[in-house]
Amino acid sequence: MASAPMKYSGLGLLAGFICLGVGLLLAVSSYRVLAHGVKTNGEVIEVLAEEDTERKMWYAPIIDFQTPDGVMHRFQSSYWSGNHSAVGDSIGIYYKRGAPEDAVVDSTSELYIVPGCTMAIGLFLLFIFGIGPLIIHLRKPTGTG
């Protein structure tokens, strides 16, 4: 049976791999939309607001935009923030060619900070629960006998 430290080390490694994987998926998605997506502007038509358990307000805009073929599209930002745009504001967005329903707001937080922080947390957990215990194990004095 595994000792408690080893069990927690395994859970920490698992959490690290999951965070790193999710961060990489978010980073690849951001890269694809930036490299191959269409940049345009949309108009904020509504701002959703929610209060968290600490009574802090979080906002997500609902945005209308038009593709070159004249079709109007609407989407809700998947990123909730403490700051919000006002109804009627013009906001930069990216959407995938052939899939305008997969639009994202042109936001540093959404496109860079969230994927980067998620990967950093994953790497930190991998180091703490993987490399850290390995170093401690290797530095243990061997028994003399």
Side-chain angles (χ1 to χ4, degrees), residues 1-11:
M1 183 161 177
S3 67
M6 291 305 289
K7 181 172 90 173
Y8 292 126
S9 180
L11 291 174

Side-chain angles (χ1 to χ4, degrees), residues 17-35 78-79 96 102 104-105 107-122:
F17 280 118
I18 289 171
C19 285
L20 185 60
V22 168
L24 285 170
L25 287 173
L26 292 171
V28 167
S29 177
S30 291
Y31 168 77
R32 285 185 176 159
V33 77
L34 290 168
S78 60
Y79 181 74
K96 296 177 186 172
D102 291 336
V104 295
V105 174
S107 157
T108 300
S109 296
E110 190 170 351
L111 295 173
Y112 301 104
I113 294 175
V114 171
C117 286
T118 306
M119 285 189 292
I121 290 168

Side-chain angles (χ1 to χ4, degrees), residues 32-129:
R32 285 185 176 159
V33 77
L34 290 168
H36 307 293
V38 177
K39 183 173 173 136
T40 189
N41 287 317
E43 181 181 347
V44 176
I45 60 151
E46 185 180 349
V47 178
L48 301 178
E50 284 193 11
E51 186 177 62
D52 67 15
T53 56
E54 297 171 359
R55 303 192 55 85
K56 179 172 175 26
M57 294 301 295
W58 294 92
Y59 305 96
I62 296 178
I63 301 161
D64 277 353
F65 68 98
Q66 187 173 1
T67 50
D69 60 4
V71 177
M72 291 297 292
H73 298 273
R74 177 173 293 170
F75 76 101
Q76 175 188 326
S77 174
S78 60
Y79 181 74
W80 290 72
S81 144
N83 302 320
H84 67 87
S85 303
V87 172
D89 282 355
S90 179
I91 191 165
I93 65 163
Y94 284 94
Y95 67 90
K96 296 177 186 172
R97 283 184 175 80
E101 63 278 1
D102 291 336
V104 295
V105 174
D106 182 12
S107 157
T108 300
S109 296
E110 190 170 351
L111 295 173
Y112 301 104
I113 294 175
V114 171
C117 286
T118 306
M119 285 189 292
I121 290 168
L123 290 172
F124 175 76
L125 291 172
L126 289 175
F127 179 78
I128 294 299
F129 292 103

